[in-house]
Amino acid sequence: MARLLLLFLPVLVAIGAVHGIFMDRLASKKLCADDECVYTISLARAQEDYNAPDCRFINVKKGQQIYVYSKLVKENEAGEFWAGSVYDGHPEDEMGTVGYFPSNLVQEQHVYQEATKEVPTTDIDFFCE
């Protein structure tokens, strides 16, 4: 019994280390500047406040700048959402807050690269901690 427990202990620890939930997908495809969706597509400015309905989304205040990394491909009656980072100016938050927001909320200020790569979304795209 002790050997069996030792065998499965790493798996149990790994399962316990995950604190989050996989949410419903907002789209099955996204447009990016590269295959991994890590390069910034554009810089946008929020035209109004937005309160995130759940952990997939980000809160945005009017006037904030958002770095856009991907644009979800609109499906059916779903809204059009982009993924990006909002920086709040606190030094301890260098990575910014990353999540989705409605594309009609912002105005693109500068396009760095065109979002021409169509990439399938995965469950991890909609994982919430």
Side-chain angles (χ1 to χ4, degrees):
M1 181 72 169
R3 281 186 171 174
L4 189 58
L5 182 59
L6 288 174
L7 184 64
F8 288 104
L9 189 58
V11 174
L12 294 172
V13 170
I15 291 171
V18 176
H19 300 289
I21 185 170
F22 289 99
M23 302 289 285
D24 291 336
R25 289 186 185 200
L26 300 171
S28 59
K29 298 176 190 169
K30 58 187 173 181
L31 295 173
C32 303
D34 61 292
D35 292 330
E36 289 80 31
C37 300
V38 295
Y39 292 110
T40 305
I41 296 169
S42 62
L43 178 64
R45 185 172 303 278
Q47 301 301 299
E48 58 187 81
D49 291 350
Y50 176 73
N51 292 317
D54 64 47
C55 58
R56 293 172 293 182
F57 300 89
I58 54 175
N59 292 316
V60 177
K61 295 191 184 323
K62 182 177 181 177
Q64 273 188 313
Q65 290 188 321
I66 304 168
Y67 292 93
V68 180
Y69 300 108
S70 67
K71 299 177 178 183
L72 296 179
V73 176
K74 185 176 178 176
E75 297 176 354
N76 304 321
E77 299 299 316
E80 189 170 341
F81 297 99
W82 294 354
S85 296
V86 173
Y87 291 86
D88 62 12
H90 293 100
E92 67 275 4
D93 192 25
E94 291 179 21
M95 291 301 292
T97 303
V98 180
Y100 295 98
F101 57 91
S103 62
N104 62 357
L105 171 81
V106 301
Q107 181 177 16
E108 283 185 298
Q109 303 290 302
H110 181 74
V111 175
Y112 298 112
Q113 300 179 58
E114 293 295 325
T116 58
K117 301 274 186 184
E118 190 171 274
V119 179
T121 60
T122 65
D123 289 340
I124 201 70
D125 287 313
F126 307 105
F127 180 77
C128 294
E129 289 190 70

Coordinates of all heavy atoms in Angstrom, one line a residue, residues 52-128:
A52 N -15.6 43.2 -16.2 CA -15.5 41.8 -16.6 C -16.6 40.9 -16.0 O -16.8 41.0 -14.7 CB -14.1 41.2 -16.2
P53 N -17.3 40.1 -16.8 CA -18.4 39.3 -16.2 C -17.9 38.0 -15.6 O -18.6 37.5 -14.7 CB -19.2 39.0 -17.5 CG -18.3 39.1 -18.6 CD -17.3 40.1 -18.2
D54 N -16.7 37.6 -15.9 CA -16.1 36.4 -15.3 C -14.6 36.5 -15.5 O -14.0 37.4 -16.1 CB -16.7 35.1 -15.7 CG -16.5 34.8 -17.2 OD1 -15.3 34.9 -17.7 OD2 -17.4 34.4 -17.9
C55 N -13.9 35.5 -15.0 CA -12.4 35.5 -14.9 C -11.7 35.4 -16.3 O -10.5 35.5 -16.4 CB -11.9 34.4 -14.0 SG -12.4 32.7 -14.4
R56 N -12.4 35.1 -17.4 CA -11.8 35.1 -18.7 C -11.6 36.5 -19.2 O -10.8 36.7 -20.1 CB -12.8 34.3 -19.7 CG -12.9 32.9 -19.4 CD -14.0 32.3 -20.3 NE -15.3 32.9 -20.0 CZ -16.4 32.5 -20.5 NH1 -16.5 31.6 -21.5 NH2 -17.6 33.1 -20.1
F57 N -12.2 37.4 -18.7 CA -12.2 38.8 -19.2 C -11.4 39.7 -18.2 O -11.1 39.3 -17.1 CB -13.6 39.3 -19.3 CG -14.5 38.6 -20.2 CD1 -15.2 37.5 -19.8 CD2 -14.6 38.9 -21.5 CE1 -16.0 36.7 -20.6 CE2 -15.4 38.1 -22.4 CZ -16.1 37.1 -21.9
I58 N -11.1 40.9 -18.7 CA -10.4 41.9 -17.9 C -11.2 43.1 -17.7 O -12.1 43.5 -18.6 CB -9.0 42.3 -18.6 CG1 -9.2 42.8 -20.0 CG2 -8.0 41.2 -18.5 CD1 -8.0 43.3 -20.7
N59 N -11.0 43.8 -16.6 CA -11.7 45.1 -16.3 C -10.9 46.1 -17.0 O -9.6 46.1 -17.0 CB -11.7 45.4 -14.8 CG -12.6 44.4 -14.1 OD1 -13.7 44.2 -14.5 ND2 -12.1 43.9 -12.9
V60 N -11.6 47.1 -17.6 CA -10.9 48.1 -18.4 C -11.5 49.4 -18.0 O -12.8 49.5 -17.9 CB -11.1 47.9 -19.9 CG1 -10.5 49.0 -20.7 CG2 -10.5 46.6 -20.3
K61 N -10.7 50.5 -17.8 CA -11.2 51.8 -17.6 C -11.0 52.7 -18.8 O -10.0 52.5 -19.5 CB -10.5 52.4 -16.4 CG -10.7 51.7 -15.1 CD -10.2 52.5 -13.9 CE -10.3 51.8 -12.6 NZ -11.4 51.0 -12.3
K62 N -11.9 53.6 -19.0 CA -11.8 54.5 -20.2 C -10.5 55.2 -20.2 O -10.0 55.6 -19.1 CB -12.9 55.5 -20.1 CG -12.9 56.5 -21.3 CD -14.1 57.4 -21.2 CE -14.0 58.4 -22.4 NZ -15.2 59.3 -22.4
G63 N -9.8 55.2 -21.3 CA -8.5 55.8 -21.5 C -7.3 54.9 -21.3 O -6.2 55.2 -21.7
Q64 N -7.5 53.7 -20.7 CA -6.4 52.7 -20.5 C -5.9 52.2 -21.8 O -6.7 52.0 -22.8 CB -6.9 51.5 -19.6 CG -6.7 51.8 -18.2 CD -7.0 50.5 -17.4 OE1 -7.9 49.8 -17.6 NE2 -6.1 50.2 -16.4
Q65 N -4.6 51.9 -21.9 CA -4.0 51.3 -23.0 C -4.0 49.8 -22.9 O -3.8 49.3 -21.8 CB -2.6 51.8 -23.3 CG -2.6 53.3 -23.7 CD -1.2 53.7 -24.1 OE1 -0.2 53.3 -23.5 NE2 -1.1 54.5 -25.2
I66 N -4.3 49.1 -24.0 CA -4.4 47.6 -24.0 C -3.5 47.1 -25.1 O -3.6 47.6 -26.2 CB -5.8 47.2 -24.2 CG1 -6.8 47.7 -23.2 CG2 -5.9 45.6 -24.2 CD1 -8.2 47.5 -23.5
Y67 N -2.6 46.2 -24.7 CA -1.8 45.5 -25.7 C -2.5 44.3 -26.2 O -2.9 43.4 -25.4 CB -0.4 45.1 -25.1 CG 0.4 46.3 -24.8 CD1 0.4 46.9 -23.5 CD2 1.2 46.9 -25.8 CE1 1.2 48.0 -23.3 CE2 2.0 48.1 -25.5 CZ 2.0 48.6 -24.2 OH 2.7 49.7 -24.0
V68 N -2.8 44.2 -27.5 CA -3.6 43.2 -28.1 C -2.7 42.1 -28.6 O -1.8 42.3 -29.4 CB -4.5 43.7 -29.2 CG1 -5.4 42.6 -29.8 CG2 -5.4 44.9 -28.7
Y69 N -3.0 40.8 -28.2 CA -2.2 39.6 -28.6 C -3.0 38.7 -29.6 O -2.3 38.0 -30.3 CB -1.8 38.8 -27.4 CG -1.0 39.6 -26.4 CD1 -1.5 40.0 -25.2 CD2 0.3 40.0 -26.7 CE1 -0.7 40.8 -24.3 CE2 1.1 40.8 -25.9 CZ 0.5 41.2 -24.7 OH 1.3 41.9 -23.8
S70 N -4.3 38.7 -29.5 CA -5.0 37.8 -30.4 C -6.4 38.4 -30.6 O -6.9 39.2 -29.7 CB -5.1 36.4 -30.0 OG -5.8 36.3 -28.8
K71 N -7.1 38.0 -31.7 CA -8.5 38.4 -31.9 C -9.3 37.1 -32.2 O -9.0 36.4 -33.2 CB -8.5 39.3 -33.1 CG -7.7 40.6 -32.9 CD -7.7 41.5 -34.1 CE -7.0 42.8 -33.8 NZ -7.0 43.7 -35.0
L72 N -10.3 36.9 -31.4 CA -11.1 35.7 -31.6 C -11.9 35.8 -32.9 O -12.4 36.9 -33.2 CB -12.0 35.4 -30.4 CG -11.3 35.1 -29.1 CD1 -12.4 34.9 -28.0 CD2 -10.4 33.9 -29.2
V73 N -12.0 34.7 -33.6 CA -12.8 34.7 -34.8 C -14.3 34.6 -34.4 O -14.7 33.6 -33.7 CB -12.4 33.6 -35.8 CG1 -13.3 33.5 -37.0 CG2 -10.9 33.7 -36.2
K74 N -15.1 35.6 -34.8 CA -16.5 35.6 -34.3 C -17.3 34.4 -34.9 O -17.1 34.0 -36.0 CB -17.1 36.9 -34.8 CG -18.5 37.1 -34.3 CD -19.1 38.4 -34.7 CE -20.5 38.5 -34.2 NZ -21.1 39.8 -34.5
E75 N -18.1 33.8 -34.0 CA -18.9 32.6 -34.4 C -20.3 32.9 -34.0 O -20.6 33.4 -32.9 CB -18.4 31.4 -33.7 CG -17.0 31.0 -34.0 CD -16.5 29.8 -33.3 OE1 -17.2 29.3 -32.3 OE2 -15.4 29.3 -33.6
N76 N -21.2 32.6 -34.9 CA -22.7 32.7 -34.7 C -23.1 34.0 -34.1 O -22.7 35.1 -34.7 CB -23.2 31.5 -33.8 CG -22.8 30.2 -34.4 OD1 -22.9 30.0 -35.6 ND2 -22.4 29.3 -33.6
E77 N -23.8 34.0 -33.0 CA -24.2 35.3 -32.4 C -23.3 35.8 -31.3 O -23.6 36.8 -30.6 CB -25.7 35.1 -31.8 CG -26.7 34.7 -32.9 CD -26.9 35.8 -34.0 OE1 -26.9 37.0 -33.6 OE2 -26.9 35.4 -35.1
A78 N -22.2 35.1 -31.2 CA -21.2 35.5 -30.1 C -20.7 36.9 -30.4 O -20.6 37.3 -31.6 CB -20.1 34.5 -30.0
G79 N -20.3 37.6 -29.4 CA -19.6 38.9 -29.6 C -18.2 38.8 -30.1 O -17.7 37.6 -30.2
E80 N -17.6 39.8 -30.5 CA -16.3 39.8 -31.1 C -15.3 40.2 -29.9 O -15.4 41.4 -29.5 CB -16.1 40.7 -32.3 CG -14.8 40.6 -33.0 CD -14.8 41.3 -34.3 OE1 -15.8 41.6 -34.8 OE2 -13.7 41.6 -34.8
F81 N -14.5 39.3 -29.5 CA -13.6 39.6 -28.4 C -12.1 39.5 -28.8 O -11.8 38.7 -29.7 CB -13.8 38.5 -27.3 CG -15.2 38.6 -26.7 CD1 -16.2 37.8 -27.1 CD2 -15.5 39.6 -25.8 CE1 -17.5 37.8 -26.6 CE2 -16.8 39.7 -25.2 CZ -17.8 38.8 -25.6
W82 N -11.3 40.3 -28.2 CA -9.9 40.3 -28.4 C -9.2 39.9 -27.1 O -9.8 40.1 -26.0 CB -9.4 41.7 -28.9 CG -9.8 42.1 -30.2 CD1 -10.5 41.3 -31.1 CD2 -9.6 43.3 -30.8 NE1 -10.8 42.1 -32.3 CE2 -10.2 43.3 -32.1 CE3 -9.0 44.5 -30.4 CZ2 -10.2 44.4 -33.0 CZ3 -8.9 45.6 -31.3 CH2 -9.5 45.5 -32.6
A83 N -8.0 39.4 -27.1 CA -7.3 39.1 -25.9 C -6.1 40.1 -25.8 O -5.4 40.4 -26.8 CB -6.7 37.7 -25.9
G84 N -5.9 40.6 -24.6 CA -4.9 41.6 -24.4 C -4.5 41.8 -22.9 O -5.0 41.2 -22.0
S85 N -3.5 42.7 -22.7 CA -3.0 43.0 -21.4 C -3.3 44.5 -21.1 O -3.1 45.4 -21.9 CB -1.5 42.8 -21.3 OG -1.2 41.5 -21.5
V86 N -3.8 44.7 -19.9 CA -3.9 46.1 -19.3 C -2.9 46.3 -18.3 O -2.7 45.5 -17.4 CB -5.3 46.3 -18.7 CG1 -5.4 47.6 -18.1 CG2 -6.4 46.1 -19.8
Y87 N -2.1 47.4 -18.4 CA -1.1 47.7 -17.4 C -1.7 48.8 -16.5 O -2.1 49.8 -17.0 CB 0.2 48.1 -18.0 CG 0.8 46.9 -18.7 CD1 0.4 46.6 -20.0 CD2 1.7 46.2 -18.1 CE1 1.0 45.5 -20.7 CE2 2.3 45.1 -18.7 CZ 1.9 44.7 -20.0 OH 2.4 43.7 -20.6
D88 N -1.6 48.6 -15.2 CA -2.2 49.5 -14.3 C -1.2 50.5 -13.7 O -1.5 51.4 -12.9 CB -3.0 48.9 -13.1 CG -2.1 48.0 -12.3 OD1 -0.9 48.0 -12.4 OD2 -2.7 47.2 -11.5
G89 N 0.1 50.3 -14.0 CA 1.1 51.3 -13.6 C 1.8 50.9 -12.3 O 2.7 51.6 -11.9
H90 N 1.4 49.8 -11.6 CA 2.0 49.4 -10.4 C 3.3 48.6 -10.7 O 3.2 47.7 -11.5 CB 1.1 48.6 -9.5 CG 0.0 49.4 -9.0 ND1 -1.3 49.3 -9.5 CD2 -0.1 50.3 -8.0 CE1 -2.1 50.1 -8.9 NE2 -1.4 50.7 -7.9
P91 N 4.4 48.9 -10.1 CA 5.7 48.2 -10.5 C 5.6 46.7 -10.2 O 6.2 45.9 -10.9 CB 6.7 48.9 -9.5 CG 6.1 50.1 -9.1 CD 4.6 50.0 -9.2
E92 N 4.8 46.3 -9.2 CA 4.8 44.9 -8.9 C 3.9 44.1 -10.0 O 3.9 42.9 -10.0 CB 4.2 44.6 -7.5 CG 2.8 45.0 -7.3 CD 2.5 46.5 -7.0 OE1 3.5 47.2 -7.0 OE2 1.4 46.8 -6.7
D93 N 3.3 44.8 -10.8 CA 2.4 44.2 -11.8 C 3.0 44.4 -13.2 O 2.3 44.8 -14.1 CB 1.0 44.8 -11.8 CG 0.0 44.0 -12.6 OD1 0.2 42.8 -12.8 OD2 -1.0 44.6 -13.0
E94 N 4.3 44.0 -13.4 CA 4.9 44.2 -14.7 C 4.3 43.4 -15.8 O 4.4 43.9 -16.9 CB 6.4 43.8 -14.5 CG 7.2 44.8 -13.6 CD 8.6 44.4 -13.5 OE1 9.1 43.7 -14.4 OE2 9.3 44.9 -12.5
M95 N 3.7 42.3 -15.6 CA 3.1 41.5 -16.6 C 1.8 42.0 -17.0 O 1.3 41.6 -18.1 CB 3.0 40.0 -16.2 CG 4.4 39.3 -16.1 SD 5.3 39.3 -17.6 CE 4.3 38.2 -18.6
G96 N 1.2 42.8 -16.2 CA -0.2 43.3 -16.5 C -1.2 42.2 -16.3 O -0.9 41.1 -15.9
T97 N -2.4 42.6 -16.5 CA -3.6 41.7 -16.4 C -4.0 41.3 -17.8 O -4.2 42.1 -18.6 CB -4.7 42.4 -15.7 OG1 -4.3 42.8 -14.4 CG2 -5.9 41.4 -15.5
V98 N -4.1 40.0 -18.0 CA -4.4 39.4 -19.4 C -5.8 38.8 -19.4 O -6.2 38.2 -18.4 CB -3.3 38.4 -19.8 CG1 -3.7 37.8 -21.2 CG2 -1.9 38.9 -19.7
G99 N -6.5 39.1 -20.4 CA -7.8 38.5 -20.6 C -8.5 39.1 -21.8 O -7.9 39.8 -22.6
Y100 N -9.8 38.7 -22.0 CA -10.6 39.1 -23.1 C -11.4 40.4 -22.8 O -11.7 40.7 -21.7 CB -11.5 38.0 -23.5 CG -10.8 36.8 -24.0 CD1 -10.6 35.7 -23.2 CD2 -10.3 36.7 -25.3 CE1 -9.9 34.6 -23.6 CE2 -9.6 35.6 -25.8 CZ -9.4 34.5 -24.9 OH -8.7 33.5 -25.3
F101 N -11.7 41.1 -23.9 CA -12.6 42.3 -23.8 C -13.3 42.4 -25.2 O -12.8 42.0 -26.2 CB -11.7 43.5 -23.5 CG -10.6 43.8 -24.5 CD1 -10.8 44.6 -25.6 CD2 -9.4 43.1 -24.3 CE1 -9.8 44.8 -26.5 CE2 -8.3 43.3 -25.2 CZ -8.5 44.2 -26.3
P102 N -14.4 43.1 -25.2 CA -15.1 43.3 -26.5 C -14.3 44.3 -27.4 O -13.8 45.3 -26.9 CB -16.4 44.0 -26.0 CG -16.5 43.8 -24.6 CD -15.2 43.6 -24.1
S103 N -14.2 43.9 -28.6 CA -13.4 44.7 -29.6 C -14.0 46.0 -29.8 O -13.3 47.0 -30.1 CB -13.3 43.9 -30.9 OG -14.5 43.7 -31.5
N104 N -15.4 46.2 -29.7 CA -16.0 47.5 -29.9 C -15.8 48.4 -28.8 O -16.2 49.6 -28.9 CB -17.5 47.3 -30.2 CG -18.3 46.7 -29.1 OD1 -17.7 46.3 -28.0 ND2 -19.6 46.6 -29.2
L105 N -15.1 48.0 -27.7 CA -14.8 48.8 -26.6 C -13.6 49.7 -26.8 O -13.4 50.7 -26.2 CB -14.5 47.9 -25.4 CG -13.9 48.5 -24.1 CD1 -15.0 49.1 -23.3 CD2 -13.2 47.5 -23.3
V106 N -12.7 49.3 -27.8 CA -11.4 50.0 -28.0 C -11.3 50.6 -29.4 O -12.0 50.2 -30.3 CB -10.3 49.0 -27.7 CG1 -10.3 48.5 -26.3 CG2 -10.2 47.9 -28.8
Q107 N -10.3 51.5 -29.5 CA -9.9 52.0 -30.8 C -8.4 51.7 -30.9 O -7.6 52.0 -30.0 CB -10.1 53.5 -30.9 CG -9.7 54.1 -32.2 CD -10.0 55.6 -32.3 OE1 -10.3 56.2 -31.2 NE2 -10.1 56.1 -33.5
E108 N -8.0 51.0 -32.0 CA -6.6 50.7 -32.1 C -5.8 52.0 -32.4 O -6.2 52.8 -33.3 CB -6.4 49.7 -33.3 CG -6.8 48.3 -32.9 CD -6.5 47.3 -34.0 OE1 -7.1 47.4 -35.1 OE2 -5.6 46.4 -33.7
Q109 N -4.7 52.2 -31.7 CA -3.9 53.4 -31.8 C -2.7 53.1 -32.8 O -2.3 54.0 -33.5 CB -3.4 53.8 -30.4 CG -4.4 54.1 -29.4 CD -5.2 55.3 -29.7 OE1 -4.6 56.4 -29.8 NE2 -6.5 55.2 -29.9
H110 N -2.2 51.9 -32.7 CA -1.0 51.6 -33.5 C -1.0 50.1 -33.8 O -1.2 49.3 -32.8 CB 0.3 51.9 -32.7 CG 1.5 51.7 -33.5 ND1 1.9 52.4 -34.5 CD2 2.4 50.7 -33.3 CE1 3.1 51.9 -35.0 NE2 3.4 50.8 -34.3
V111 N -0.9 49.7 -35.0 CA -0.8 48.3 -35.4 C 0.7 47.9 -35.6 O 1.4 48.5 -36.4 CB -1.6 48.0 -36.7 CG1 -1.4 46.5 -37.1 CG2 -3.1 48.3 -36.5
Y112 N 1.2 47.0 -34.8 CA 2.6 46.5 -34.9 C 2.7 45.5 -35.9 O 3.7 45.5 -36.7 CB 3.0 46.0 -33.5 CG 3.0 47.0 -32.4 CD1 2.1 46.8 -31.4 CD2 3.8 48.1 -32.4 CE1 2.1 47.8 -30.3 CE2 3.8 49.0 -31.4 CZ 2.9 48.8 -30.3 OH 2.9 49.7 -29.3
Q113 N 1.8 44.5 -36.0 CA 1.8 43.4 -36.9 C 0.4 43.0 -37.3 O -0.5 43.1 -36.4 CB 2.5 42.2 -36.4 CG 4.0 42.4 -35.9 CD 4.6 41.2 -35.4 OE1 4.6 40.1 -36.0 NE2 5.0 41.3 -34.1
E114 N 0.2 42.7 -38.5 CA -1.2 42.2 -38.9 C -1.5 40.8 -38.3 O -0.6 40.0 -38.2 CB -1.3 42.2 -40.4 CG -1.3 43.5 -41.1 CD -2.4 44.4 -40.7 OE1 -3.5 43.9 -40.5 OE2 -2.2 45.6 -40.6
A115 N -2.7 40.6 -37.9 CA -3.1 39.3 -37.3 C -3.6 38.5 -38.5 O -4.8 38.4 -38.8 CB -4.3 39.6 -36.3
T116 N -2.6 37.8 -39.1 CA -2.9 37.0 -40.3 C -2.9 35.5 -40.1 O -3.3 34.7 -41.0 CB -2.0 37.3 -41.4 OG1 -0.6 37.1 -41.0 CG2 -2.1 38.8 -41.8
K117 N -2.4 35.0 -38.9 CA -2.3 33.6 -38.6 C -3.6 33.2 -37.9 O -3.9 33.6 -36.9 CB -1.1 33.3 -37.7 CG 0.2 33.7 -38.3 CD 0.8 32.6 -39.1 CE 2.2 33.1 -39.6 NZ 2.8 32.1 -40.5
E118 N -4.3 32.2 -38.6 CA -5.5 31.6 -37.9 C -5.0 30.4 -37.1 O -4.5 29.5 -37.7 CB -6.5 31.3 -38.9 CG -7.8 30.9 -38.3 CD -9.0 30.8 -39.3 OE1 -9.6 31.8 -39.6 OE2 -9.2 29.6 -39.8
V119 N -5.3 30.4 -35.8 CA -4.8 29.4 -34.9 C -6.0 28.9 -34.1 O -6.9 29.7 -33.7 CB -3.8 30.0 -33.9 CG1 -3.3 29.0 -32.9 CG2 -2.6 30.6 -34.6
P120 N -6.1 27.5 -34.0 CA -7.3 27.0 -33.2 C -7.1 27.4 -31.7 O -6.0 27.4 -31.2 CB -7.2 25.5 -33.4 CG -6.0 25.2 -34.2 CD -5.3 26.5 -34.6
T121 N -8.2 27.7 -31.0 CA -8.1 27.9 -29.6 C -8.0 26.6 -28.9 O -8.4 25.5 -29.5 CB -9.3 28.7 -29.1 OG1 -10.5 28.0 -29.4 CG2 -9.4 30.1 -29.7
T122 N -7.6 26.6 -27.7 CA -7.5 25.4 -26.9 C -8.2 25.7 -25.5 O -8.5 26.8 -25.2 CB -6.0 25.0 -26.6 OG1 -5.4 26.0 -25.8 CG2 -5.2 24.8 -27.9
D123 N -8.4 24.6 -24.8 CA -9.0 24.8 -23.4 C -8.2 25.8 -22.6 O -8.8 26.5 -21.8 CB -9.1 23.5 -22.7 CG -10.1 22.5 -23.3 OD1 -11.0 23.0 -24.1 OD2 -10.1 21.3 -23.1
I124 N -6.9 25.8 -22.7 CA -6.1 26.7 -21.8 C -6.3 28.1 -22.2 O -6.1 29.0 -21.3 CB -4.6 26.3 -21.9 CG1 -3.8 26.8 -20.7 CG2 -4.0 26.8 -23.2 CD1 -4.1 26.1 -19.4
D125 N -6.8 28.5 -23.4 CA -7.2 29.9 -23.7 C -8.3 30.4 -22.8 O -8.4 31.6 -22.7 CB -7.6 30.0 -25.2 CG -6.4 29.8 -26.1 OD1 -5.4 30.5 -25.9 OD2 -6.6 29.1 -27.1
F126 N -9.0 29.5 -22.2 CA -10.2 29.9 -21.4 C -10.1 29.4 -20.0 O -11.1 29.2 -19.4 CB -11.5 29.5 -22.2 CG -11.5 30.0 -23.6 CD1 -11.3 29.1 -24.6 CD2 -11.7 31.3 -23.9 CE1 -11.3 29.6 -25.9 CE2 -11.7 31.8 -25.2 CZ -11.5 30.9 -26.2
F127 N -8.9 29.2 -19.5 CA -8.7 28.7 -18.2 C -8.7 29.9 -17.2 O -8.1 30.9 -17.5 CB -7.3 28.0 -18.1 CG -7.0 27.5 -16.7 CD1 -7.6 26.3 -16.3 CD2 -6.1 28.1 -15.9 CE1 -7.3 25.8 -15.0 CE2 -5.8 27.7 -14.7 CZ -6.4 26.5 -14.2
C128 N -9.3 29.8 -16.1 CA -9.4 30.8 -15.1 C -8.8 30.4 -13.8 O -9.0 29.2 -13.4 CB -10.8 31.2 -14.9 SG -11.6 32.0 -16.2

